[in-house]
Amino acid sequence: MNIMKKLVFLSMALFLVGVGTATAQVRQRSLGIELGSHNAAVYDLTLGRHFSVTAKAGLVLEAGFSGKKDVNGKRFSFGGFTPFASLEPRWHFSGESASDLFHTGGYLGVRLNGAWDRATIFGPSYPKGYDRPLYTLGFSPRFGWVFGVNENSYIGLSAGLEFFRTKMSYNEGGSPWRTPRTEGVIPVSLEMTYGIRF
């Protein structure tokens, strides 16, 4: 029985040392800012060597390219800067990080996000009586890579499929919701940012 207790105690000690080693590689919590396609304040919570949760709030650049032309015959669109907030659990599959403030290398994540379309800055103008977006809720499976520039800054790139529901102002003949299915699109989002951590 004493041997069994010693084995359990030794196993627990090794487990705690392992968790301590894994979380010591990247600081457990960090704050920062990102500039680029997403201009935001960032909070990162590290849950171990390979897991983290990233929260962001700020302004996202609404710009896009479509394979088919819109009603004005354009493929490229600019929609201004929209307030957003997101929460993204990530699994970091790369090895040791090059910084103790953030994970470097590749990751897979699922982003949950919300955007307040009605408050878009420099957005398009809508004629009176036209259905306009009010807010958007969505999620996006993502693949990303973080390149360390120095100890406290990085360049982040990611891409993902967007699944969304946009609430529209309801006018006669309009639909209250827009989704990828109603729009007949498969949206792919790209994110390019330069980040600084404190």
Side-chain angles (χ1 to χ4, degrees):
M1 189 67 173
N2 285 337
I3 294 174
M4 191 64 139
K5 285 183 181 178
K6 288 179 182 177
L7 285 173
V8 169
F9 178 75
L10 183 61
S11 298
M12 289 295 286
L14 289 173
F15 174 75
L16 292 174
V17 168
V19 169
T21 302
T23 57
Q25 183 189 345
V26 175
R27 189 182 297 178
Q28 190 174 6
R29 296 178 182 88
S30 67
L31 293 171
I33 57 170
E34 288 185 348
L35 302 172
S37 61
H38 294 66
N39 303 281
V42 181
Y43 173 77
D44 199 53
L45 175 64
T46 295
L47 302 175
R49 176 174 238 168
H50 293 288
F51 295 96
S52 69
V53 177
T54 300
K56 300 182 184 182
L59 296 172
V60 60
L61 171 64
E62 297 286 354
F65 179 81
S66 176
K68 59 181 181 180
K69 296 180 181 179
D70 63 13
V71 292
N72 298 319
K74 297 179 180 178
R75 294 182 188 273
F76 178 79
S77 64
F78 172 75
F81 295 90
T82 303
F84 83 98
S86 68
L87 188 68
E88 184 177 352
R90 294 177 177 177
W91 173 62
H92 303 270
F93 55 81
S94 293
E96 187 173 341
S97 179
S99 170
D100 66 346
L101 288 172
F102 52 86
H103 290 273
T104 55
Y107 66 87
L108 297 174
V110 176
R111 180 175 298 171
L112 309 171
N113 58 65
W116 188 18
D117 301 283
R118 187 66 188 262
T120 298
I121 303 167
F122 306 120
S125 58
Y126 294 92
K128 189 174 180 180
Y130 188 84
D131 289 345
R132 63 177 294 169
L134 300 176
Y135 62 87
T136 299
L137 301 174
F139 76 95
S140 173
R142 306 192 71 79
F143 167 76
W145 204 278
V146 175
F147 301 91
V149 175
N150 56 38
E151 185 61 27
N152 67 337
S153 67
Y154 57 90
I155 293 173
L157 304 173
S158 75
L161 293 175
E162 292 285 343
F163 299 93
F164 64 86
R165 284 178 62 81
T166 300
K167 176 68 174 174
M168 304 297 294
S169 59
Y170 186 79
N171 293 298
E172 188 175 345
S175 171
W177 292 99
R178 287 187 182 166
T179 65
R181 186 173 181 181
T182 62
E183 297 298 291
V185 296
I186 303 173
V188 176
S189 69
L190 300 176
E191 181 178 24
M192 295 171 279
T193 56
Y194 172 74
I196 301 171
R197 292 295 175 92
F198 313 112

